Amino acid sequence: MASVRRTLHVEVPIEKAFQVFTERMGKWWPASHHVGGAPFKDILIDPKTGGRWYEINADGAECIWGSVLAWEPPKKVVLSWHLQPDWSFSADMAKASEVALEFVAEGAEKTRVEFEHRHLERHGAGWEKMREQVGADGGWPMILAEYIKATR
């Protein structure tokens, strides 16, 4: 499959689950996983369809990761992932995969998060290795575990 999928369960209301993912990413995202030449100071998502998904390093330099394809708080966010198999950036939408999250309330204090990093084949040569890396323990499983901790 050209995607990585996970179902997460967090013990917070849907609004908080969405907010922690979209507004506090720089607080829980592993510091080792940055794209710019220096560690990031923050990771931001512009809260609108068409907005940017990017990191800012300590010097204030910005490094774009992708853009917001869908923004439907607190139920859905879809981000384009423009990082290529060699971790360089490509602005070409035809070579971008998607990081999609759906947030489903399962009670006042429980939310199910359906995560999918999809269309990895769009990255072309090397996409299989990228899928292997993002699906491995040091990829999305570790990153999403940090997200779950941040919701507590």
Side-chain angles (χ1 to χ4, degrees), residues 84-144:
Q84 300 306 300
D86 65 357
W87 304 106
S88 66
F89 175 83
S90 171
D92 185 352
M93 280 299 290
K95 293 183 177 184
S97 54
E98 298 176 3
V99 174
L101 294 98
E102 290 194 33
F103 299 81
V104 180
E106 293 193 326
E109 295 291 324
K110 293 184 181 186
T111 304
R112 184 179 80 243
V113 182
E114 297 293 341
F115 169 90
E116 183 179 19
H117 188 163
R118 60 191 180 207
H119 305 304
L120 288 157
E121 74 283 354
R122 291 179 183 169
H123 293 290
W127 78 264
E128 295 97 340
K129 183 177 181 184
M130 178 181 240
R131 191 237 174 261
E132 195 176 296
Q133 290 175 329
V134 299
D137 288 343
W140 283 118
M142 183 214 17
I143 293 167
L144 294 171

Side-chain angles (χ1 to χ4, degrees), residues 1-148:
M1 283 191 344
S3 67
V4 172
R5 295 179 186 178
R6 296 286 184 272
T7 298
L8 315 171
H9 298 275
V10 293
E11 302 291 322
V12 295
I14 188 172
E15 294 82 6
K16 182 172 181 184
F18 186 88
Q19 178 194 33
V20 170
F21 193 91
T22 61
E23 295 177 26
R24 298 186 202 166
M25 191 175 286
K27 304 280 189 242
W28 55 264
W29 191 273
S32 59
H33 287 56
H34 63 89
V35 180
F40 65 82
K41 181 172 107 180
D42 206 355
I43 300 171
L44 302 166
I45 298 172
D46 292 333
K48 62 182 180 181
T49 300
R52 299 174 305 152
W53 180 23
Y54 61 105
E55 69 180 59
I56 298 175
N57 73 20
D59 297 328
E62 295 181 2
C63 183
I64 305 290
W65 292 8
S67 60
V68 180
L69 301 176
W71 183 261
E72 301 171 21
K75 296 184 178 188
K76 180 179 179 181
V77 64
V78 180
L79 307 165
S80 64
W81 174 281
H82 289 265
L83 304 177
Q84 300 306 300
D86 65 357
W87 304 106
S88 66
F89 175 83
S90 171
D92 185 352
M93 280 299 290
K95 293 183 177 184
S97 54
E98 298 176 3
V99 174
L101 294 98
E102 290 194 33
F103 299 81
V104 180
E106 293 193 326
E109 295 291 324
K110 293 184 181 186
T111 304
R112 184 179 80 243
V113 182
E114 297 293 341
F115 169 90
E116 183 179 19
H117 188 163
R118 60 191 180 207
H119 305 304
L120 288 157
E121 74 283 354
R122 291 179 183 169
H123 293 290
W127 78 264
E128 295 97 340
K129 183 177 181 184
M130 178 181 240
R131 191 237 174 261
E132 195 176 296
Q133 290 175 329
V134 299
D137 288 343
W140 283 118
M142 183 214 17
I143 293 167
L144 294 171
E146 293 302 315
Y147 161 71
I148 291 169

